[in-house]
DNA sequence: AAACATTTTGTAAAAATGACAATTACTCTA
DNA sequence: TAGAGTAATTGTCATTTTTACAAAATGTTT
């Protein structure tokens, strides 16, 4: 570990800084950690791996690893996710960075958290590289996690709930042609509350970018449901001034 | 600069990773950049410094600097802001991290953007350390900025607009006892639109955590305004289910 | 044909919205 | 001291939205 450089407490002593060689600053590393939320029929889970390498060997953890010296952050997030879980084709977004001084035993490592919401059955995680196994975990019964991954996970879940109302990330989780019930289930599951069916339906019908199709559900043991679809162009138009669902 | 380590494209070649010595990862640095928005009577500005050190000497830039090897990210943000501008006692929040490979000429540096909204006359920036001068700039006529600070600034402004509707950051910018007009001005200025006075007032009166006081404005050359105050406890109560102003 | 399981529509009172107009309460000035 | 000036505040009213329910509709299964 590198020699400890005492932080300068006040601006008036700031000239001390010039005595710290610039090299002393370039001894840190970055990592990315991926929080993949998997939704399937009213159930929300998160993808964890069991670590097959130190530190925290055998612990459950978010898929995450160090960023290469000449690798872009976003690129690293996708690369690491694929390395450890073989998952491709999920769109992630940055959530928050975590920089606690002692969060990593090997040295100073800042980690950048990334998040995605996917239909659980759409992807097929397969442990690879140093990951021993992958598993979908319910949010309600999580094991003790490596590093500060528990904090990263909870921050990501908070962000997911906000984002669900602002961005059409729910499109990742229901079919292109969907029923209002399917749509409602996603919101109830992720937000953790329930809505009146009739009233929810009325709200949906006022949303410009959700279009009622002529097609209906097939082969159901009850009255078939109308199908709806998402119009991305109309969404762009109406989200200009900051669209949010007000459920 | 360190030797280039070729990123591993596929998981199947991942064992290559073991050939990269761990030290190769610990050659990066972090920085923090602070976006301080200053509001005053219908005017929104951002605090910039003129750099007095390379790289980008003499360029206008966000107050920002490298994080010490044993310094917490949040701590660094406040320390750096004070070092360069002598500002204390502003509460900042993390916005986003920027990790472009070539964003810093001295090596691999990831920067974490922090943001705050303050009443412009409450704070008294004074250039210190390597900052040549500080200046409040209008968002509409910004100079060319150092590094990728322009991108950081715009991302922060977007976040400011969202946050203004979700969190009571406007309390930093108006007096403890305020008039509805003062309140409205903040929202009009930052969001960049105008609202009908009467209708805006009605909305405010329905917001549980904004309480009408018995006191009124004094010494104004017109009908004195009722004063209102913010009830933090009630806000906590009502923001549980994700409060947002729907202006 | 009746029972089921949902989807879908309907209802009615209450509340919120939006565009404007009118009124009110102070200070300042002639 | 009676306007004039200035901005705060209240009022109107037609329209739309919300809420909490109840009822009807449309398929399949028995």
């Amino acid at each position: 570990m590198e020699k400890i450089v005492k932080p300068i407490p006040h601006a008036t002593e700031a000239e001390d800084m010039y005595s710290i060689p610039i090299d002393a600053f370039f001894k840190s590393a970055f990592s990315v950690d991926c929080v993949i939320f998997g939704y399937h029929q009213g159930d929300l889970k998160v993808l964890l791996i069991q670590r097959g390498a130190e530190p925290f060997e055998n612990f459950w953890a978010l898929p995450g690893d160090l960023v290469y010296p000449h690798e872009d952050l976003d690129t690293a997030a996708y690369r690491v996710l694929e390395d450890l879980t073989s998952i491709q084709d999920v769109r992630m977004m940055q959530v928050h960075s975590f920089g606690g001084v002692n969060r990593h035993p090997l040295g100073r490592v800042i980690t950048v958290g990334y998040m995605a919401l996917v239909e659980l059955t759409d992807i097929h995680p397969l442990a690879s590289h140093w990951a021993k196994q992958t598993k979908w975990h319910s949010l309600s019964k999580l094991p003790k996690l490596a590093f500060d991954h528990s904090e990263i996970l909870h921050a990501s879940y908070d962000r997911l709930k906000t984002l669900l109302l602002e961005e059409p990330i729910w499109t990742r989780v229901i079919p292109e042609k969907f029923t209002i019930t399917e749509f409602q289930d996603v919101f109830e599951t992720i937000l953790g509350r329930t809505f009146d069916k009739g009233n929810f339906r009325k709200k949906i019908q006022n949303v410009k970018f959700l279009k009622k199709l002529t097609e209906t559900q097939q082969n159901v043991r009850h009255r078939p449901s109308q199908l709806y679809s998402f119009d991305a162009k109309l969404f762009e138009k109406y989200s200009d001034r900051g669209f949010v669902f007000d459920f």
Side-chain angles (χ1 to χ4, degrees), chain A:
Chain A
M1 293 279 289
E2 64 272 27
K3 182 168 151 275
I4 291 178
V5 179
K6 181 167 156 273
I8 296 171
H10 299 298
T12 48
E13 308 172 18
E15 49 274 17
D16 287 351
M17 179 162 175
Y18 295 115
S19 64
I20 303 176
I22 189 75
D23 282 357
F25 289 95
F26 284 84
K27 290 182 175 169
S28 307
F30 323 129
S31 65
V32 289
D33 286 301
C34 306
V35 185
I36 309 298
F37 290 106
Y39 172 88
H40 182 67
Q41 292 178 348
D43 221 13
L44 185 65
K45 295 182 182 277
V46 62
L47 183 64
L48 301 180
I49 62 166
Q50 191 184 26
R51 292 178 60 90
E54 289 293 351
F56 289 100
E57 182 157 9
N58 293 322
F59 276 67
W60 288 98
L62 298 171
D65 207 345
L66 296 177
V67 177
Y68 290 122
H70 289 81
E71 187 179 33
D72 197 84
L73 273 182
D74 289 1
T75 309
Y78 291 103
R79 192 260 308 162
V80 165
L81 182 67
E82 187 180 348
D83 275 2
L84 296 173
T85 67
S86 318
I87 296 176
Q88 283 176 307
D89 302 323
V90 283
R91 185 150 5 145
M92 294 187 286
M93 52 192 69
Q94 198 191 107
V95 174
H96 196 88
S97 297
F98 299 82
V101 175
N102 296 312
R103 58 172 299 285
H104 199 298
L106 289 188
R108 187 70 201 277
V109 181
I110 279 184
T111 197
V112 184
Y114 280 79
M115 185 210 84
L117 176 65
V118 300
E119 159 61 41
L120 200 143
T121 59
D122 275 357
I123 64 173
H124 306 284
L126 182 64
S128 57
H129 204 331
W130 52 260
K132 275 191 178 169
Q133 56 172 316
T134 69
K135 189 179 168 194
W136 292 103
H137 287 252
S138 287
L139 291 185
S140 50
K141 32 183 178 175
L142 290 170
K144 190 172 184 62
L145 299 186
F147 304 101
D148 51 358
H149 285 191
S150 180
E151 186 184 356
I152 299 173
L153 176 47
H154 284 102
S156 298
Y157 183 44
D158 283 346
R159 183 68 138 265
L160 172 64
K161 286 189 276 193
T162 308
L163 227 49
L164 186 65
L165 302 173
E166 297 171 349
E167 302 287 340
I169 55 175
W170 46 265
T171 53
R172 304 271 151 194
V173 134
I174 51 178
E176 204 174 336
K177 299 174 179 180
F178 54 88
T179 69
I180 291 192
T181 301
E182 287 170 330
F183 188 82
Q184 182 173 348
D185 282 344
V186 175
F187 284 81
E188 290 190 339
T189 302
I190 295 178
L191 300 179
R193 1 181 205 144
T194 58
F195 308 101
D196 178 276
K197 267 175 170 283
N199 295 337
F200 190 91
R201 162 174 267 93
K202 278 182 232 161
K203 269 189 182 163
I204 295 310
Q205 283 161 343
N206 286 332
V207 176
K208 309 296 186 200
F209 54 79
L210 297 179
K211 298 178 77 171
K212 189 180 201 163
L213 303 176
T214 52
E215 299 163 71
T216 64
Q217 233 179 357
Q218 300 295 329
N219 299 323
V220 283
R221 60 204 292 94
H222 54 75
R223 178 174 178 174
S225 183
Q226 280 296 136
L227 294 177
Y228 287 73
S229 73
F230 170 65
D231 187 324
K233 281 183 189 166
L234 279 179
F235 175 77
E236 285 310 319
K237 187 176 169 189
Y238 287 99
S239 63
D240 270 358
R241 299 250 156 137
F243 173 85
V244 278
F245 280 115
D246 59 338
F247 295 143

